Amino acid sequence: MRKYCDYISVDCVIFGFEIDRLNVLLVDRTLRGEGESDIEFADHTLTGNHIYETETVGDAANRVLYDLTGLTGIYLEQFKTFAHPDRLKKENDRKWLLHDGRDPDKRIVSIGYFALLATQDVTIEWKGRNVKWVPYHEIGELAFDHNEILENALIALRNKAKHEPIGFELLPEKFTLSQLQKVYEIILDTEFDKRNFRKKVARMKYLIPLDEKQTGVAHKPARLYMFSREVYEKTKKDLFDFWV
Amino acid sequence: MRKYCDYISVDCVIFGFEIDRLNVLLVDRTLRGEGESDIEFADHTLTGNHIYETETVGDAANRVLYDLTGLTGIYLEQFKTFAHPDRLKKENDRKWLLHDGRDPDKRIVSIGYFALLATQDVTIEWKGRNVKWVPYHEIGELAFDHNEILENALIALRNKAKHEPIGFELLPEKFTLSQLQKVYEIILDTEFDKRNFRKKVARMKYLIPLDEKQTGVAHKPARLYMFSREVYEKTKKDLFDFWV
DNA sequence: ATAGTAAAGTGTAAAAAATACACTAAGGGT
DNA sequence: ACCCTTAGTGTATTTTTTACACTTTACTAT
């Protein structure tokens, strides 16, 4: 059996977009005592794990993602590493570490990744685990230093989204322009004018209009679009955005 | 005496700009045998060190920077973490690790930082160490995985430079517009039209023109400018650069 | 003093992009 | 047939980008 490296871990901030919300996949940790309703302690954490001794960190992040969602090939990006000497020294942290059979005194490096996917891509059967989608703005205090990791993930996501077309990763393969606009409005916490937004994206050749329309909606169905990574790679200008 | 944490290290890619070159501060490692000119093995590495058991990673990076340059308050940014299981398994790596009294079989996480400063800010007395400036394009094969770390540092620097005003960090406190233009041309490996560049930066209020001119040049002396971080923080738009 | 030289500094016209703004079209639900 | 909801579209104005070449200034060498 493969052994874990007991001082390197990955934490994945799994973002999932849904209609008009940005969700994060959290692990619901509830320890019960003797009686069924007798909660000893409860906490939420990001998804994460130690890495195997011979595994790359990227592979470990993909493994965590797969174990919790059943998905592969998901957009995943390393954004920051957390190694503060006191990062696992909050009130309950010691309890959880002991409960997980980890050495609570060991200094653990956690390498942060964020993942992007459409909430509905995680199917019911996987949701049965002790894992759940929580809207970003409703996330309270998390165990360990996971609030800090989460904040940094959102900052990284924002910065990336401003300069590279990754909003698509949060949508199903086929999407409408209104959905795309909403993704950016939510990530960047702003609003765009519909006509100007469309004028702008119309210039991006990697946004492919399909001969297909939305179905099952109680209003004029919108045209569907796809993102073409190939066209993007070919046409992206290595632009000097300059500092503003 | 403080103990090192033997599995966490920082590597600093220290960029220094000079006239029309981007330099990197490298450690010259040459081991001699019995005779003085009898080189056993020689290599170059980035600057780095293990972190102390109770030290933050950022403090460790600043410490490395201080030990090698005597400078404090330098622009420093974490850009990526390297933890591949085989990252210290090249030909000579084992020799160096043993030579440094490190366990060659231990998997070591290295957290990468890049630092920006003006080459001339590193004074002669510090240069006496086994450390030297090497122009980026003249850097050959480095020990360990340091070429990979270096490449990633440059990519991170480029991306950052496109979207945030950090070119100033590579210049002395007072600089000319031509120097600023050169910095960006070198970092981004491109050329700008002088008039258009000036028109563009003229809009940035945090670029403060001084009532001072260059001295000691054999041509029309240029006006000097300063970067005002305060004005920048106040006036920066949280702009949607959008993806191109 | 004069001429040479090296980089500084400056303007304009044309094209492209950003901004502000409001109505009609289409389809499903009742 | 009517209503509800979202899709989809155009124009005028301002701002930004782009392409492009000559004059100015201070020092240097004679």
Side-chain angles (χ1 to χ4, degrees), chain A residues 120-182:
Chain A
Q120 63 263 37
D121 287 351
V122 177
T123 55
I124 298 291
E125 64 200 287
W126 290 93
K127 281 195 220 153
R129 304 184 166 229
N130 59 342
V131 128
K132 64 181 180 193
W133 289 113
V134 183
Y136 182 86
H137 290 293
E138 296 173 15
I139 296 175
E141 198 185 342
L142 303 174
F144 311 122
D145 57 348
H146 285 192
N147 288 100
E148 189 193 347
I149 297 178
L150 178 63
E151 271 171 47
N152 278 275
L154 186 61
I155 290 169
L157 168 59
R158 272 201 182 131
N159 280 330
K160 192 86 180 180
K162 278 187 213 169
H163 312 299
E164 278 175 64
I166 56 168
F168 308 97
E169 307 290 347
L170 287 162
L171 290 169
E173 195 190 0
K174 299 173 181 179
F175 51 84
T176 70
L177 293 185
S178 295
Q179 289 171 334
L180 185 64
Q181 182 175 341
K182 201 77 197 173

Side-chain angles (χ1 to χ4, degrees), chain B residues 66-102:
Chain B
Y66 178 77
D67 288 348
L68 294 172
T69 66
L71 299 174
T72 56
I74 295 301
Y75 182 92
L76 196 59
E77 175 162 326
Q78 185 189 312
F79 67 93
K80 194 168 178 185
T81 292
F82 301 84
H84 196 283
D86 304 327
R87 63 177 289 265
L88 306 177
K89 307 286 193 230
K90 278 204 305 192
E91 180 86 21
N92 276 341
D93 293 350
R94 191 176 186 87
K95 293 185 197 169
W96 288 122
L97 292 168
L98 287 168
H99 175 264
D100 292 351
R102 292 155 74 188

Side-chain angles (χ1 to χ4, degrees), chain A residues 193 195-196 199-200 203 217-221:
Chain A
D193 175 84
R195 277 175 290 191
N196 293 341
K199 212 183 300 172
K200 184 152 188 166
R203 280 199 300 274
V217 286
H219 55 78
K220 179 175 177 180

Side-chain angles (χ1 to χ4, degrees), chain B residues 6-19:
Chain B
D6 69 348
Y7 52 86
I8 308 179
S9 69
V10 290
D11 279 305
C12 294
V13 180
I14 305 176
F15 289 110
F17 183 79
E18 180 181 36
I19 307 171

